[in-house]
Amino acid sequence: MASSVAFGGSTLSQLSQKSIDGAGRNIMRTADGGLVSTYSVGTGSRLDLVFSASLDNGDSWNETVVKGVDGKARQAAIDSNFQGSYIAFTEERDGDTVGRIAFASAPLADKPQIVVSEAVTPAGVEATDTFIQASRKGWGALADENRETVVYGWQDKQSKSLYVGVSMDGRTFPMARKVIEDIYATSGPAVAIRGNYVIATYQTTNPAFAPSDVAQETISQRSYPAWIESMDGGESWSQPKPLFGFKAADYPVVKVESQPGQYDNLRLAGGTSQPNSPILNWGGIGDRIGGGGGSRDSGTTDVGAEDKSAAAADVSQMEGAAAALNPDDGITFVQTSMMGIDGAGRKGEVSIVSFRQIKPDAPWTHVIANNKLSANSRDAETSKTDAATSHFQYSALIDTPVRATTYKETSNGDARLVVAVSTDTGKVFNRHVSFTRDALSDLGLQGFDDKAIFAASQCLFEDRNGDVFVDLLVSQGDNTRYARLPIGVNAAQLRAAAKPSGP
C-alpha cells in the first residue's frame, strides 16, 4: 500500500514552497534506509532551516530547526552518504544571500547535532539555485579512498556565473569557485560527484548550445542543457559542451498520434522552459546501469535510415565502451525535458534520461521517459501534446535494474502525477503509472492541482515484499505531506527471474 502522512511538525503550515520548488533534491533515502528531508519554514519575520528524519518509512518524522542560521533560509537541498547528511542552502542576511553547508553526522539520532559552515560562496555573489550531492563510492567497499566526497553549487543571480565547491573529506567545505561565466545561463549548476569525478549541468539560452539549424524565432527564450566535468576533484574543468548536440538530428524523437491510427515523429530540439533538473552519479558497472544498451529514440518511433544508422552506431559504441569499463567506474545520469520543433502550438515537454559512463570521451545515450503523446485523447496511459509538464525527477533502486522518472502533467486545469518506469536499467521506459487527482486523493493527497509542487527521492524504496515505491514530499497551499507511491514493480520477482535456471 502507498501511504500519505502529515509531514514534519506543526511548523509545516508555514513551509516556504520556494525552499523546495527547484531541481535540488529535498528528500532522500540514506545509505541505511532512513529518510531525510530539508525545507524552510516561516516563523514571524524569520525563515528557519529545518531538517527532518524518519526511521519508519515516513510514518513519523523527527523535525529539527537548524541552529546557527540567523538570517532567512531561502533554498535548501539535501543528500547523504556513509558519513551523514548534508544540506546546502542559501541564507539571506544583512542584505546579502550566501550559500552555506549544514552537516549532521548522525542524522537519524533523536537530537541530531548539526554543524553549519560559514559562507562558502565568495563575497559579492548573490547565491541562488542550490544543489548538492554526496559521493557513495563506498557501496560494498567502505575502505575506498575518497568514497565520501561532496559537491555543492550555486548560481550568482546578478552575473549568472556558476560556482561549484568540492569537499574531499566530507567534513570541511572549501569556498565554491567560479567554473562557468555565461551571461545566458538560466539555472544554477546541477552537480554530481563520485570519488574525484565531478560533473555539472546547467541551462542556457546561449545560441552556441542551441541547434544551429533551428530558426532562432522558433526557440526564442528557451534554454538548452550544457555540461562540464572534472576528473581531479574540481581542480580543473572541461570546456562546456551541449548535452545533445549542435544539430536538430542529434536530438531524440518521440512518436505522436496526431489522429487515431496516424503517427508522426516529433523531433525534440525545441529547447526547454523548465528549470534545471537533478543529476546523479551512480555505482559501478556491477549494477549494469544502462551499460551497453539504449538508443536515441528508445525504440519507440519509426525514424529514417540515417537516424537508425546513427542510433545503431551509438549502441555499438556504448557496447564497446561497456566491455572495456573498469569495474570501479560508474554512470552519470541527467534528467532533462525538451519541446518538439515540428508541432505548431504544442507546449508539452517530453522527459529525456541521458546517461554516460564515467570515463573521458564516453558518449551520451538519450532515452525517452514519457507517456505516449496524443493530440486527441488523454487517459491514464496517454498524454496530450498540449499538456503542461514539469518537475521531471529521476530515481533508481541500487543493485537492481529499476529506474523511474516522476513528473507532473496539467491539462485544462486537471493535474496528475506520472511515473515512467524502466526495468532494464533505463534503456527503455515502457511502463507508466498514472496518479490522477482522484487516485491521489485515495492515497491521502487531497486536492492535488496545478499549483502543487513535489520533490522526489533519487533513491527508490523497496519494501519487505519487494514492491518498489517512489518517496515524495508534496506541498500545496498550507498542506505538506509525505507520500510513498507504488510504481507497479516488484524487485524480488525481477531478481528471481534473472537467476540462471538449472543446477
Side-chain angles (χ1 to χ4, degrees), residues 51-80:
F51 168 77
S52 281
S54 175
L55 277 169
D56 53 12
N57 290 320
D59 288 340
S60 63
W61 293 85
N62 177 23
E63 185 179 80
T64 302
V65 175
V66 178
K67 297 179 179 179
V69 183
D70 299 322
K72 295 181 178 180
R74 292 292 186 187
Q75 297 175 321
I78 196 167
D79 201 9
S80 297

PDB file of all heavy atoms in Angstrom, residues 51-80:
ATOM      1  N   PHE A  51      15.562  20.462   9.295  1.00  0.00           N
ATOM      2  CA  PHE A  51      15.998  19.117   8.909  1.00  0.00           C
ATOM      3  C   PHE A  51      15.021  18.119   9.519  1.00  0.00           C
ATOM      4  O   PHE A  51      14.737  18.179  10.718  1.00  0.00           O
ATOM      5  CB  PHE A  51      17.410  18.855   9.410  1.00  0.00           C
ATOM      6  CG  PHE A  51      17.834  17.415   9.322  1.00  0.00           C
ATOM      7  CD1 PHE A  51      18.210  16.872   8.102  1.00  0.00           C
ATOM      8  CD2 PHE A  51      17.854  16.602  10.440  1.00  0.00           C
ATOM      9  CE1 PHE A  51      18.600  15.542   8.007  1.00  0.00           C
ATOM     10  CE2 PHE A  51      18.240  15.276  10.360  1.00  0.00           C
ATOM     11  CZ  PHE A  51      18.614  14.751   9.136  1.00  0.00           C
ATOM     12  N   SER A  52      14.487  17.204   8.712  1.00  0.00           N
ATOM     13  CA  SER A  52      13.567  16.180   9.203  1.00  0.00           C
ATOM     14  C   SER A  52      14.090  14.796   8.843  1.00  0.00           C
ATOM     15  O   SER A  52      14.683  14.614   7.769  1.00  0.00           O
ATOM     16  CB  SER A  52      12.163  16.359   8.604  1.00  0.00           C
ATOM     17  OG  SER A  52      11.462  17.376   9.262  1.00  0.00           O
ATOM     18  N   ALA A  53      13.864  13.851   9.734  1.00  0.00           N
ATOM     19  CA  ALA A  53      14.308  12.478   9.501  1.00  0.00           C
ATOM     20  C   ALA A  53      13.242  11.499   9.952  1.00  0.00           C
ATOM     21  O   ALA A  53      12.472  11.774  10.880  1.00  0.00           O
ATOM     22  CB  ALA A  53      15.621  12.212  10.243  1.00  0.00           C
ATOM     23  N   SER A  54      13.197  10.357   9.291  1.00  0.00           N
ATOM     24  CA  SER A  54      12.232   9.313   9.630  1.00  0.00           C
ATOM     25  C   SER A  54      12.914   7.955   9.602  1.00  0.00           C
ATOM     26  O   SER A  54      13.653   7.636   8.668  1.00  0.00           O
ATOM     27  CB  SER A  54      11.065   9.322   8.639  1.00  0.00           C
ATOM     28  OG  SER A  54      10.180   8.238   8.893  1.00  0.00           O
ATOM     29  N   LEU A  55      12.635   7.159  10.642  1.00  0.00           N
ATOM     30  CA  LEU A  55      13.158   5.799  10.724  1.00  0.00           C
ATOM     31  C   LEU A  55      12.091   4.751  10.425  1.00  0.00           C
ATOM     32  O   LEU A  55      12.380   3.557  10.441  1.00  0.00           O
ATOM     33  CB  LEU A  55      13.745   5.539  12.123  1.00  0.00           C
ATOM     34  CG  LEU A  55      15.179   6.011  12.364  1.00  0.00           C
ATOM     35  CD1 LEU A  55      15.519   5.929  13.843  1.00  0.00           C
ATOM     36  CD2 LEU A  55      16.157   5.187  11.548  1.00  0.00           C
ATOM     37  N   ASP A  56      10.852   5.195  10.174  1.00  0.00           N
ATOM     38  CA  ASP A  56       9.760   4.241   9.972  1.00  0.00           C
ATOM     39  C   ASP A  56       9.077   4.467   8.614  1.00  0.00           C
ATOM     40  O   ASP A  56       7.859   4.411   8.503  1.00  0.00           O
ATOM     41  CB  ASP A  56       8.751   4.328  11.111  1.00  0.00           C
ATOM     42  CG  ASP A  56       8.235   5.740  11.349  1.00  0.00           C
ATOM     43  OD1 ASP A  56       8.471   6.617  10.491  1.00  0.00           O
ATOM     44  OD2 ASP A  56       7.597   5.978  12.397  1.00  0.00           O
ATOM     45  N   ASN A  57       9.900   4.722   7.609  1.00  0.00           N
ATOM     46  CA  ASN A  57       9.395   4.870   6.239  1.00  0.00           C
ATOM     47  C   ASN A  57       8.352   5.969   6.097  1.00  0.00           C
ATOM     48  O   ASN A  57       7.385   5.845   5.355  1.00  0.00           O
ATOM     49  CB  ASN A  57       8.839   3.546   5.717  1.00  0.00           C
ATOM     50  CG  ASN A  57       9.926   2.521   5.473  1.00  0.00           C
ATOM     51  OD1 ASN A  57      10.999   2.862   4.982  1.00  0.00           O
ATOM     52  ND2 ASN A  57       9.663   1.284   5.824  1.00  0.00           N
ATOM     53  N   GLY A  58       8.569   7.062   6.832  1.00  0.00           N
ATOM     54  CA  GLY A  58       7.730   8.233   6.666  1.00  0.00           C
ATOM     55  C   GLY A  58       6.473   8.250   7.497  1.00  0.00           C
ATOM     56  O   GLY A  58       5.691   9.198   7.406  1.00  0.00           O
ATOM     57  N   ASP A  59       6.254   7.230   8.360  1.00  0.00           N
ATOM     58  CA  ASP A  59       5.055   7.240   9.193  1.00  0.00           C
ATOM     59  C   ASP A  59       5.137   8.316  10.278  1.00  0.00           C
ATOM     60  O   ASP A  59       4.115   8.838  10.728  1.00  0.00           O
ATOM     61  CB  ASP A  59       4.846   5.870   9.841  1.00  0.00           C
ATOM     62  CG  ASP A  59       4.380   4.827   8.832  1.00  0.00           C
ATOM     63  OD1 ASP A  59       3.862   5.225   7.774  1.00  0.00           O
ATOM     64  OD2 ASP A  59       4.547   3.629   9.097  1.00  0.00           O
ATOM     65  N   SER A  60       6.354   8.657  10.697  1.00  0.00           N
ATOM     66  CA  SER A  60       6.548   9.749  11.654  1.00  0.00           C
ATOM     67  C   SER A  60       7.877  10.428  11.341  1.00  0.00           C
ATOM     68  O   SER A  60       8.774   9.819  10.745  1.00  0.00           O
ATOM     69  CB  SER A  60       6.538   9.234  13.100  1.00  0.00           C
ATOM     70  OG  SER A  60       7.618   8.332  13.310  1.00  0.00           O
ATOM     71  N   TRP A  61       7.991  11.691  11.747  1.00  0.00           N
ATOM     72  CA  TRP A  61       9.166  12.498  11.397  1.00  0.00           C
ATOM     73  C   TRP A  61       9.705  13.214  12.632  1.00  0.00           C
ATOM     74  O   TRP A  61       8.939  13.728  13.444  1.00  0.00           O
ATOM     75  CB  TRP A  61       8.813  13.510  10.313  1.00  0.00           C
ATOM     76  CG  TRP A  61       8.498  12.860   9.004  1.00  0.00           C
ATOM     77  CD1 TRP A  61       7.292  12.347   8.609  1.00  0.00           C
ATOM     78  CD2 TRP A  61       9.398  12.643   7.936  1.00  0.00           C
ATOM     79  NE1 TRP A  61       7.393  11.810   7.351  1.00  0.00           N
ATOM     80  CE2 TRP A  61       8.681  11.983   6.906  1.00  0.00           C
ATOM     81  CE3 TRP A  61      10.742  12.930   7.723  1.00  0.00           C
ATOM     82  CZ2 TRP A  61       9.259  11.609   5.699  1.00  0.00           C
ATOM     83  CZ3 TRP A  61      11.329  12.560   6.519  1.00  0.00           C
ATOM     84  CH2 TRP A  61      10.590  11.912   5.523  1.00  0.00           C
ATOM     85  N   ASN A  62      11.022  13.234  12.743  1.00  0.00           N
ATOM     86  CA  ASN A  62      11.706  13.974  13.791  1.00  0.00           C
ATOM     87  C   ASN A  62      12.216  15.268  13.177  1.00  0.00           C
ATOM     88  O   ASN A  62      13.136  15.253  12.364  1.00  0.00           O
ATOM     89  CB  ASN A  62      12.861  13.132  14.347  1.00  0.00           C
ATOM     90  CG  ASN A  62      13.658  13.871  15.406  1.00  0.00           C
ATOM     91  OD1 ASN A  62      13.153  14.802  16.030  1.00  0.00           O
ATOM     92  ND2 ASN A  62      14.900  13.463  15.600  1.00  0.00           N
ATOM     93  N   GLU A  63      11.612  16.376  13.564  1.00  0.00           N
ATOM     94  CA  GLU A  63      11.920  17.653  12.928  1.00  0.00           C
ATOM     95  C   GLU A  63      12.860  18.480  13.804  1.00  0.00           C
ATOM     96  O   GLU A  63      12.630  18.634  15.001  1.00  0.00           O
ATOM     97  CB  GLU A  63      10.625  18.426  12.684  1.00  0.00           C
ATOM     98  CG  GLU A  63      10.813  19.724  11.917  1.00  0.00           C
ATOM     99  CD  GLU A  63       9.480  20.416  11.703  1.00  0.00           C
ATOM    100  OE1 GLU A  63       8.982  21.076  12.631  1.00  0.00           O
ATOM    101  OE2 GLU A  63       8.927  20.269  10.600  1.00  0.00           O
ATOM    102  N   THR A  64      13.932  19.024  13.199  1.00  0.00           N
ATOM    103  CA  THR A  64      14.925  19.809  13.918  1.00  0.00           C
ATOM    104  C   THR A  64      15.140  21.140  13.223  1.00  0.00           C
ATOM    105  O   THR A  64      15.440  21.169  12.019  1.00  0.00           O
ATOM    106  CB  THR A  64      16.278  19.059  13.982  1.00  0.00           C
ATOM    107  OG1 THR A  64      16.092  17.798  14.612  1.00  0.00           O
ATOM    108  CG2 THR A  64      17.310  19.873  14.752  1.00  0.00           C
ATOM    109  N   VAL A  65      14.987  22.228  13.949  1.00  0.00           N
ATOM    110  CA  VAL A  65      15.331  23.540  13.411  1.00  0.00           C
ATOM    111  C   VAL A  65      16.837  23.710  13.543  1.00  0.00           C
ATOM    112  O   VAL A  65      17.404  23.573  14.637  1.00  0.00           O
ATOM    113  CB  VAL A  65      14.589  24.662  14.164  1.00  0.00           C
ATOM    114  CG1 VAL A  65      15.050  26.035  13.662  1.00  0.00           C
ATOM    115  CG2 VAL A  65      13.085  24.513  13.990  1.00  0.00           C
ATOM    116  N   VAL A  66      17.504  23.980  12.437  1.00  0.00           N
ATOM    117  CA  VAL A  66      18.962  24.062  12.417  1.00  0.00           C
ATOM    118  C   VAL A  66      19.410  25.354  13.098  1.00  0.00           C
ATOM    119  O   VAL A  66      19.015  26.453  12.688  1.00  0.00           O
ATOM    120  CB  VAL A  66      19.499  23.996  10.972  1.00  0.00           C
ATOM    121  CG1 VAL A  66      21.015  24.127  10.961  1.00  0.00           C
ATOM    122  CG2 VAL A  66      19.059  22.690  10.316  1.00  0.00           C
ATOM    123  N   LYS A  67      20.219  25.204  14.125  1.00  0.00           N
ATOM    124  CA  LYS A  67      20.744  26.368  14.842  1.00  0.00           C
ATOM    125  C   LYS A  67      21.926  26.967  14.079  1.00  0.00           C
ATOM    126  O   LYS A  67      22.621  26.273  13.343  1.00  0.00           O
ATOM    127  CB  LYS A  67      21.175  25.971  16.249  1.00  0.00           C
ATOM    128  CG  LYS A  67      20.028  25.476  17.130  1.00  0.00           C
ATOM    129  CD  LYS A  67      20.521  25.076  18.509  1.00  0.00           C
ATOM    130  CE  LYS A  67      19.362  24.605  19.379  1.00  0.00           C
ATOM    131  NZ  LYS A  67      19.817  24.191  20.739  1.00  0.00           N
ATOM    132  N   GLY A  68      22.122  28.257  14.280  1.00  0.00           N
ATOM    133  CA  GLY A  68      23.244  28.920  13.613  1.00  0.00           C
ATOM    134  C   GLY A  68      22.880  29.570  12.307  1.00  0.00           C
ATOM    135  O   GLY A  68      23.746  30.094  11.610  1.00  0.00           O
ATOM    136  N   VAL A  69      21.596  29.531  11.954  1.00  0.00           N
ATOM    137  CA  VAL A  69      21.113  30.210  10.750  1.00  0.00           C
ATOM    138  C   VAL A  69      20.339  31.432  11.232  1.00  0.00           C
ATOM    139  O   VAL A  69      19.174  31.333  11.633  1.00  0.00           O
ATOM    140  CB  VAL A  69      20.220  29.289   9.893  1.00  0.00           C
ATOM    141  CG1 VAL A  69      19.787  29.996   8.623  1.00  0.00           C
ATOM    142  CG2 VAL A  69      20.956  27.998   9.566  1.00  0.00           C
ATOM    143  N   ASP A  70      20.978  32.590  11.215  1.00  0.00           N
ATOM    144  CA  ASP A  70      20.397  33.786  11.814  1.00  0.00           C
ATOM    145  C   ASP A  70      19.558  34.589  10.832  1.00  0.00           C
ATOM    146  O   ASP A  70      18.720  35.392  11.241  1.00  0.00           O
ATOM    147  CB  ASP A  70      21.509  34.675  12.379  1.00  0.00           C
ATOM    148  CG  ASP A  70      22.302  33.961  13.471  1.00  0.00           C
ATOM    149  OD1 ASP A  70      21.673  33.236  14.254  1.00  0.00           O
ATOM    150  OD2 ASP A  70      23.533  34.121  13.507  1.00  0.00           O
ATOM    151  N   GLY A  71      19.791  34.389   9.535  1.00  0.00           N
ATOM    152  CA  GLY A  71      19.022  35.113   8.541  1.00  0.00           C
ATOM    153  C   GLY A  71      17.834  34.308   8.070  1.00  0.00           C
ATOM    154  O   GLY A  71      17.284  33.486   8.811  1.00  0.00           O
ATOM    155  N   LYS A  72      17.441  34.509   6.805  1.00  0.00           N
ATOM    156  CA  LYS A  72      16.307  33.797   6.223  1.00  0.00           C
ATOM    157  C   LYS A  72      16.826  32.694   5.302  1.00  0.00           C
ATOM    158  O   LYS A  72      17.543  32.960   4.347  1.00  0.00           O
ATOM    159  CB  LYS A  72      15.422  34.757   5.435  1.00  0.00           C
ATOM    160  CG  LYS A  72      14.755  35.822   6.294  1.00  0.00           C
ATOM    161  CD  LYS A  72      13.878  36.719   5.442  1.00  0.00           C
ATOM    162  CE  LYS A  72      13.173  37.764   6.315  1.00  0.00           C
ATOM    163  NZ  LYS A  72      12.314  38.652   5.494  1.00  0.00           N
ATOM    164  N   ALA A  73      16.451  31.447   5.606  1.00  0.00           N
ATOM    165  CA  ALA A  73      16.831  30.310   4.756  1.00  0.00           C
ATOM    166  C   ALA A  73      15.895  30.289   3.553  1.00  0.00           C
ATOM    167  O   ALA A  73      14.689  30.079   3.697  1.00  0.00           O
ATOM    168  CB  ALA A  73      16.736  29.008   5.534  1.00  0.00           C
ATOM    169  N   ARG A  74      16.435  30.507   2.366  1.00  0.00           N
ATOM    170  CA  ARG A  74      15.602  30.640   1.171  1.00  0.00           C
ATOM    171  C   ARG A  74      15.452  29.335   0.401  1.00  0.00           C
ATOM    172  O   ARG A  74      14.369  28.931   0.045  1.00  0.00           O
ATOM    173  CB  ARG A  74      16.215  31.710   0.252  1.00  0.00           C
ATOM    174  CG  ARG A  74      16.150  33.110   0.800  1.00  0.00           C
ATOM    175  CD  ARG A  74      14.722  33.590   0.863  1.00  0.00           C
ATOM    176  NE  ARG A  74      14.617  34.990   1.258  1.00  0.00           N
ATOM    177  CZ  ARG A  74      13.474  35.603   1.504  1.00  0.00           C
ATOM    178  NH1 ARG A  74      12.331  34.942   1.407  1.00  0.00           N
ATOM    179  NH2 ARG A  74      13.454  36.864   1.857  1.00  0.00           N
ATOM    180  N   GLN A  75      16.555  28.678   0.084  1.00  0.00           N
ATOM    181  CA  GLN A  75      16.522  27.439  -0.694  1.00  0.00           C
ATOM    182  C   GLN A  75      17.345  26.383   0.030  1.00  0.00           C
ATOM    183  O   GLN A  75      18.298  26.715   0.746  1.00  0.00           O
ATOM    184  CB  GLN A  75      17.101  27.658  -2.097  1.00  0.00           C
ATOM    185  CG  GLN A  75      16.317  28.635  -2.953  1.00  0.00           C
ATOM    186  CD  GLN A  75      17.018  28.891  -4.275  1.00  0.00           C
ATOM    187  OE1 GLN A  75      18.232  28.993  -4.339  1.00  0.00           O
ATOM    188  NE2 GLN A  75      16.236  28.988  -5.332  1.00  0.00           N
ATOM    189  N   ALA A  76      16.982  25.133  -0.148  1.00  0.00           N
ATOM    190  CA  ALA A  76      17.709  24.061   0.529  1.00  0.00           C
ATOM    191  C   ALA A  76      17.703  22.809  -0.327  1.00  0.00           C
ATOM    192  O   ALA A  76      16.765  22.552  -1.076  1.00  0.00           O
ATOM    193  CB  ALA A  76      17.094  23.773   1.893  1.00  0.00           C
ATOM    194  N   ALA A  77      18.766  22.020  -0.209  1.00  0.00           N
ATOM    195  CA  ALA A  77      18.880  20.732  -0.900  1.00  0.00           C
ATOM    196  C   ALA A  77      19.666  19.798   0.006  1.00  0.00           C
ATOM    197  O   ALA A  77      20.511  20.236   0.793  1.00  0.00           O
ATOM    198  CB  ALA A  77      19.574  20.894  -2.247  1.00  0.00           C
ATOM    199  N   ILE A  78      19.398  18.482  -0.112  1.00  0.00           N
ATOM    200  CA  ILE A  78      19.975  17.528   0.830  1.00  0.00           C
ATOM    201  C   ILE A  78      20.492  16.290   0.109  1.00  0.00           C
ATOM    202  O   ILE A  78      20.002  15.913  -0.958  1.00  0.00           O
ATOM    203  CB  ILE A  78      18.917  17.117   1.886  1.00  0.00           C
ATOM    204  CG1 ILE A  78      19.565  16.434   3.092  1.00  0.00           C
ATOM    205  CG2 ILE A  78      17.835  16.229   1.262  1.00  0.00           C
ATOM    206  CD1 ILE A  78      18.624  16.288   4.282  1.00  0.00           C
ATOM    207  N   ASP A  79      21.495  15.652   0.703  1.00  0.00           N
ATOM    208  CA  ASP A  79      21.936  14.323   0.285  1.00  0.00           C
ATOM    209  C   ASP A  79      22.667  13.683   1.446  1.00  0.00           C
ATOM    210  O   ASP A  79      23.011  14.353   2.437  1.00  0.00           O
ATOM    211  CB  ASP A  79      22.829  14.396  -0.951  1.00  0.00           C
ATOM    212  CG  ASP A  79      22.892  13.059  -1.700  1.00  0.00           C
ATOM    213  OD1 ASP A  79      22.120  12.148  -1.348  1.00  0.00           O
ATOM    214  OD2 ASP A  79      23.703  12.933  -2.633  1.00  0.00           O
ATOM    215  N   SER A  80      22.940  12.399   1.347  1.00  0.00           N
ATOM    216  CA  SER A  80      23.585  11.650   2.425  1.00  0.00           C
ATOM    217  C   SER A  80      24.596  10.676   1.857  1.00  0.00           C
ATOM    218  O   SER A  80      24.511  10.256   0.703  1.00  0.00           O
ATOM    219  CB  SER A  80      22.536  10.866   3.248  1.00  0.00           C
ATOM    220  OG  SER A  80      21.625  11.718   3.878  1.00  0.00           O
TER     221      SER A  80
END
